[in-house]
Amino acid sequence: MRSSLRYTPNSTGQTFATDDSSINKKAEDTLSSIVDGKALHQEDAAQLLMCSGETALLLRSIAATRRNLAKGRTISYSRKVFIPLTNLCRDTCGYCTFKQNPWEKEAKSMTPTEVLQVAKTGRRHNCTEALFTLGERPEQRIPEYRTFLQTLGFSTTLEYLRHVSELVIEKTGLLPHANPGTMTKKEMSSLRDVNASMGLMLENVSERLCMQGGPHAQAPSKHPKLRLATIKNAGELKIAFTTGLLIRIGETVEEIVDSLYAIKKLNDEYGNIQEVIIQNFRAKKDTPMQENVEPSHEFMQNVVAVTRLIFNDEMNIQVPPNLSPDSYPEFLACGINDWGGISPVTIDYVNPEAPWPEIQLVNRVCEDRGFKLKPRLPIYPEFILKKKGFVPETIKSLIESMSDVQGYASWREAYN
């Protein structure tokens, strides 16, 4: 029988349960079985998320050991430029400040010339990734944006995205990684040969979050079935894919566990998920969720550690360092092996209030804790060297020229 545990943040963002000692005892029994070589069962994972004190430290230590055995002491990151192709969107999420309405002064859709200007600047700063982030299908709701596309010769955002992805490859040599939202298999197939990898945050599998009053009530594309279908499409097409969870948007601990196992199930079948991002909710001004409590750092550490234990040891697990600026080094002791994309050129347009840490500082943080920071491409080394069929033939020679014998980025001056 499932435990029906919910995590309930108090005013300081800490998590607590009605009987910590009982939860810790059950968590310790589960950890003991993991040390003995047994797999983590789904029904036991929620207890691990709720553990505290010495039990939580043990959980994180075991996860870090699993990471060390599988990944060694290498922590990767992708040196990128962030290209917000359009911040218009058909959806409205309760926590988002990226989306703008067409009448707002910050509304922006980039022209091909503007895209290339950013990409060329990134090239000069030794970036290897062009991260395309954009609102989902704004042409379905915004006449002004449809006109914008038509003046460029396109009828859909995804057609335009393919065009600018191809331009970036041809004119700058950067590798596109696109996050355009939910897509059909046909749409993903069209983008595959001009993207080294793609991504879509699952966020959570809870359909309850899409109901009235939930963060996704006004965001039809956030329905978990649509997002899982997109990840499945990527698997069938052999697209190296990034996904992950957004923590503390109203979910229960059981729904966090369900979400992680939903991702694992797809990856077990298709082997296409190259990284799982564990991202903390940030309360933003002028959004419906501006008063919501953010997850505690302790709870985030538990989620990261449990993610490491749920997935096979080879999975890449990422935490964005700019969203935990004062505490991100501590995630190294919880089982992560990647910091995600960090840009020396552009801001994080989805979280503009959260500046990237300097790459030199991140390098120093890793070295001080006995790790080696290495730049990677938007497609992970194992998908270049070990897994067959995930590198698009159209950009295979470019990817090979940009990677070293271990599959990491071969650019010099990686920490400048």
Side-chain angles (χ1 to χ4, degrees), residues 3 16 24 94 105 132 136 239 268 301 319 336 409:
S3 62
F16 63 92
N24 282 347
K105 66 178 182 178
F132 283 99
E136 177 151 343
I239 296 171
D268 287 347
Q301 288 178 296
V319 170
I336 70 157

Side-chain angles (χ1 to χ4, degrees), residues 75-78 275 317-319 336-340 376 380:
I75 306 296
S76 57
Y77 80 100
S78 179
E275 68 177 336
I317 299 175
Q318 178 209 131
V319 170
I336 70 157
N337 67 292
D338 186 79
W339 294 122
R376 60 169 172 84
Y380 272 82

Side-chain angles (χ1 to χ4, degrees), residues 185-300:
K185 192 172 180 179
K186 182 178 179 180
E187 290 167 337
M188 298 189 83
S189 180
S190 175
L191 288 171
R192 184 184 188 276
D193 62 349
V194 291
N195 274 268
S197 55
M198 298 186 208
L200 176 74
M201 290 291 281
L202 173 61
E203 298 194 10
N204 199 275
V205 293
S206 173
E207 296 184 9
R208 184 177 55 79
L209 301 179
C210 299
M211 297 172 63
Q212 188 66 32
H216 298 152
Q218 305 300 319
S221 76
K222 290 295 179 76
H223 195 285
K225 288 182 179 179
L226 297 177
R227 299 178 94 72
L228 289 169
T230 298
I231 301 171
K232 181 180 179 181
N233 290 338
E236 292 176 347
L237 291 168
K238 285 204 163 186
I239 296 171
F241 207 76
T242 291
T243 190
L245 306 189
L246 184 56
I247 304 299
R248 188 54 184 97
I249 54 173
E251 76 282 8
T252 67
V253 291
E254 291 179 343
E255 289 166 341
I256 292 174
V257 170
D258 289 345
S259 301
L260 290 170
Y261 276 94
I263 294 171
K264 185 180 187 298
K265 181 180 178 181
L266 286 170
N267 191 57
D268 287 347
E269 183 173 0
Y270 298 105
N272 69 306
I273 297 175
Q274 63 172 358
E275 68 177 336
V276 175
I277 302 171
I278 302 300
Q279 182 173 327
N280 49 311
F281 160 77
R282 295 282 297 255
K284 300 175 187 289
K285 288 183 59 178
D286 302 322
T287 67
M289 295 176 66
Q290 65 180 349
E291 300 299 329
N292 285 48
V293 179
E294 299 176 355
S296 71
H297 180 59
E298 292 75 14
F299 187 72
M300 286 295 296

Side-chain angles (χ1 to χ4, degrees), residues 58-342:
L58 177 61
L59 162 66
R60 299 163 198 169
S61 176
I62 293 172
T65 299
R66 291 279 291 269
R67 183 268 323 280
N68 292 346
L69 291 173
K71 298 289 185 180
R73 306 290 289 185
T74 296
I75 306 296
S76 57
Y77 80 100
S78 179
R79 194 177 178 95
K80 72 177 181 184
V81 288
F82 200 127
I83 303 178
L85 192 62
T86 180
N87 56 13
L88 303 175
C89 185
R90 69 173 181 175
D91 291 341
T92 301
C93 295
Y95 45 76
C96 180
T97 57
F98 177 75
K99 175 193 174 170
Q100 300 292 310
N101 293 305
W103 59 84
E104 294 176 305
K105 66 178 182 178
E106 298 298 327
K108 175 67 177 177
S109 298
M110 299 177 70
T111 65
T113 298
E114 290 170 326
V115 168
L116 285 178
Q117 285 175 343
V118 175
K120 288 177 179 177
T121 302
R123 175 65 187 243
R124 290 194 297 271
H125 286 79
N126 291 339
C127 294
T128 58
E129 175 183 353
L131 170 65
F132 283 99
T133 295
L134 52 151
E136 177 151 343
R137 305 179 195 271
E139 68 274 15
Q140 293 184 353
R141 291 192 175 183
I142 303 172
E144 299 94 324
Y145 181 73
R146 286 199 297 270
T147 300
F148 169 80
L149 287 177
Q150 290 166 2
T151 61
L152 295 174
F154 304 99
S155 58
T156 69
T157 300
L158 294 178
E159 290 175 1
Y160 181 43
L161 175 60
R162 177 188 163 82
H163 173 70
V164 290
S165 296
E166 192 170 18
L167 273 182
V168 164
I169 293 169
E170 291 178 353
K171 302 297 184 182
T172 72
L174 268 64
L175 295 170
H177 171 96
N179 292 325
T182 56
M183 290 175 281
T184 66
K185 192 172 180 179
K186 182 178 179 180
E187 290 167 337
M188 298 189 83
S189 180
S190 175
L191 288 171
R192 184 184 188 276
D193 62 349
V194 291
N195 274 268
S197 55
M198 298 186 208
L200 176 74
M201 290 291 281
L202 173 61
E203 298 194 10
N204 199 275
V205 293
S206 173
E207 296 184 9
R208 184 177 55 79
L209 301 179
C210 299
M211 297 172 63
Q212 188 66 32
H216 298 152
Q218 305 300 319
S221 76
K222 290 295 179 76
H223 195 285
K225 288 182 179 179
L226 297 177
R227 299 178 94 72
L228 289 169
T230 298
I231 301 171
K232 181 180 179 181
N233 290 338
E236 292 176 347
L237 291 168
K238 285 204 163 186
I239 296 171
F241 207 76
T242 291
T243 190
L245 306 189
L246 184 56
I247 304 299
R248 188 54 184 97
I249 54 173
E251 76 282 8
T252 67
V253 291
E254 291 179 343
E255 289 166 341
I256 292 174
V257 170
D258 289 345
S259 301
L260 290 170
Y261 276 94
I263 294 171
K264 185 180 187 298
K265 181 180 178 181
L266 286 170
N267 191 57
D268 287 347
E269 183 173 0
Y270 298 105
N272 69 306
I273 297 175
Q274 63 172 358
E275 68 177 336
V276 175
I277 302 171
I278 302 300
Q279 182 173 327
N280 49 311
F281 160 77
R282 295 282 297 255
K284 300 175 187 289
K285 288 183 59 178
D286 302 322
T287 67
M289 295 176 66
Q290 65 180 349
E291 300 299 329
N292 285 48
V293 179
E294 299 176 355
S296 71
H297 180 59
E298 292 75 14
F299 187 72
M300 286 295 296
Q301 288 178 296
N302 283 4
V303 178
V304 169
V306 169
T307 302
R308 173 57 69 193
L309 297 182
I310 287 174
F311 284 89
N312 62 69
D313 295 343
E314 294 300 316
M315 179 57 70
N316 300 295
I317 299 175
Q318 178 209 131
V319 170
N322 63 316
L323 300 185
S324 302
D326 299 324
S327 55
Y328 73 86
E330 296 173 29
F331 289 112
L332 291 169
C334 303
I336 70 157
N337 67 292
D338 186 79
W339 294 122
I342 301 176

